[in-house]
Amino acid sequence: MHKYLQKWRLRRFAVLLTVVLGTLHVTGCARDNAQAAEQHLIERGHRIFIGSESINARIDGHQDQLPAQVTKCINCHTPTPRPQKDDQFAPILNASWLMQARPRRGGPAFAFTRDSLCKTMRTGIDPEYVILNRTMPRFDISEQQCQALWAYLSVKPVNEEK
């Protein structure tokens, strides 16, 4: 009887160990899949930003769609700081600029969220109801595209983290 009990405990331990190891494997795979999905989203956002994935857009007050080559975010914005130029009229778009609360035209301080950025891109009106210049196109951006663009823009580069 004693040997039978030992074998039973050993089998129970083996089953439990298998379950635990399987759970750890599944958890690791889920984390890896989540990281891969996030990386895919960031890469899509980058493609949108540089214009290799275009989004329909128009100038406020006009019905005609703009050509894809003029609606690239990178035409006017950059994700990294650069030397100031006289003809520079668009802000840098990165995590620091988007998510740092700051006053705008004497109004209250605000920071962008994913939803407020999407709304601003669609309407040309920022979170504090300041109307953007007409040169900023109004985009027909989907929720998935905007989520990807936000994922790309809101990632802090290693040298920017504090």
Side-chain angles (χ1 to χ4, degrees):
M1 182 81 157
H2 182 61
K3 284 185 177 184
Y4 175 75
L5 188 58
Q6 279 184 321
K7 285 182 181 181
W8 180 81
R9 284 181 180 163
L10 188 59
R11 285 184 185 143
R12 189 174 74 176
F13 177 76
V15 168
L16 181 62
L17 184 61
T18 302
V19 169
V20 168
L21 291 176
T23 302
L24 289 175
H25 177 73
V26 168
T27 303
C29 289
R31 185 179 59 247
D32 292 346
N33 288 342
Q35 288 172 341
E38 181 68 16
Q39 187 59 38
H40 177 72
L41 201 61
I42 291 168
E43 289 169 1
R44 183 178 187 200
H46 180 255
R47 288 192 306 272
I48 290 168
F49 189 83
I50 64 171
S52 62
E53 181 178 330
S54 62
I55 301 171
N56 290 335
R58 64 195 180 301
I59 295 295
D60 191 33
H62 294 270
Q63 297 301 316
D64 296 337
Q65 296 294 318
L66 292 168
Q69 66 267 25
V70 301
T71 63
K72 300 174 186 178
C73 304
I74 202 163
N75 285 345
C76 303
H77 302 277
T78 66
T80 56
R82 66 199 170 222
Q84 182 71 30
K85 294 181 181 176
D86 292 337
D87 63 346
Q88 184 176 323
F89 60 93
I92 296 165
L93 290 183
N94 62 20
S96 293
W97 191 87
L98 288 167
M99 294 186 276
Q100 179 181 357
R102 68 196 169 294
R104 175 103 190 263
R105 297 182 187 171
F110 78 93
F112 279 95
T113 63
R114 183 186 67 83
D115 292 341
S116 66
L117 178 68
C118 297
K119 184 176 180 183
T120 299
M121 290 183 68
R122 291 179 183 121
T123 66
I125 302 171
D126 78 8
E128 291 301 317
Y129 301 99
V130 173
I131 299 172
L132 303 182
N133 190 303
R134 285 187 66 211
T135 58
M136 170 69 178
R138 289 6 178 205
F139 292 89
D140 298 326
I141 190 166
S142 72
E143 284 300 316
Q144 294 81 14
Q145 290 169 320
C146 200
Q147 182 180 4
L149 185 59
W150 178 259
Y152 169 68
L153 293 174
S154 64
V155 170
K156 286 189 174 197
V158 172
N159 62 356
E160 188 180 309
E161 290 180 2
K162 294 200 176 165

